[in-house]
Amino acid sequence: IVVPAALPYNTTDNTSGYGDDYENADNPCGGFYTGGDEVVYSYTPTVDVNVDITLTGTGTYTGVFVLEGCPFTTCVDQGTDSGGNPAITDLDLIGGTQYFIVISTWPAPQSTAYTLDITEVLCADPSDLLSSNITTTTADLGWTENGTATSWNIELGVAGFTPTGIPTATSATNSYAAMGLTEATAYEF
């Protein structure tokens, strides 16, 4: 078991150096991507954290799994890709909980080279966007914060617009009062 010291974590390795200790039946996520050689990383965050786990430079039929328990009892999340380079994004991990990150293959191929990156997402995307108190020219916009942000940039446009990345409101709070809207027009933000 390899233990990353801190985030961000980056390493390049090959599963061939670790053996074939687990089979598909041992993986609580199910599927067929733990039949080859696998490497196991143990990570215990000290505080709640949101992370991206990405693999690059892999061969085909590669999987990455985040599991709890020893032996593995709970599937937290998984990324598999028959073309290689699977990823798990926007994963919430609970401080003080030990997680096992397992990299393996179909088993054909039996092993794979890989570069593993585990990075903290410092500004997780909000979720559960909603609107309320809608009038002919105003609406209150709200969302669920999935990180620690206290102000947000908002891009508002007529439904179907292509976001530009240029905010129409900066340093907004949750909830945000959108004003100057056109009557009988659908909007997205």
Side-chain angles (χ1 to χ4, degrees):
I1 294 181
V2 180
V3 180
L7 299 183
Y9 180 76
N10 170 276
T11 189
T12 299
D13 207 339
N14 193 308
T15 61
S16 65
Y18 297 92
D20 188 356
D21 299 316
Y22 303 100
E23 298 306 323
N24 294 324
D26 300 320
N27 185 349
C29 293
F32 299 102
Y33 285 85
T34 46
D37 295 333
E38 59 275 320
V39 59
V40 179
Y41 292 84
S42 173
Y43 177 64
T44 305
T46 56
V47 296
D48 293 356
V49 65
N50 183 281
V51 298
D52 287 344
I53 301 170
T54 58
L55 292 177
T56 55
T58 72
T60 58
Y61 299 103
T62 302
V64 59
F65 305 90
V66 178
L67 310 170
E68 282 184 57
C70 187
F72 308 136
T73 56
T74 304
C75 176
V76 177
D77 206 343
Q78 66 179 324
T80 59
D81 199 312
S82 62
N85 300 330
I88 299 171
T89 58
D90 254 354
L91 177 63
D92 291 320
L93 301 178
I94 299 167
T97 302
Q98 183 179 27
Y99 296 95
F100 297 96
I101 301 165
V102 178
I103 300 168
S104 190
T105 56
W106 177 264
Q110 180 66 30
S111 62
T112 186
Y114 64 90
T115 296
L116 169 66
D117 285 290
I118 306 171
T119 54
E120 182 177 0
V121 179
L122 297 174
C123 189
D125 291 336
S127 60
D128 303 321
L129 285 85
L130 60 94
S131 58
S132 62
N133 301 323
I134 300 170
T135 70
T136 55
T137 59
T138 65
D140 290 337
L141 309 178
W143 51 88
T144 298
E145 170 54 29
N146 293 312
T148 59
T150 57
S151 68
W152 298 264
N153 292 336
I154 298 173
E155 187 170 359
L156 176 69
V158 175
F161 83 109
T162 302
T164 63
I166 300 169
T168 52
T170 59
S171 300
T173 59
N174 189 4
S175 105
Y176 172 75
M179 296 186 237
L181 304 176
T182 302
E183 185 175 355
T185 303
Y187 287 89
E188 294 177 340
F189 75 101

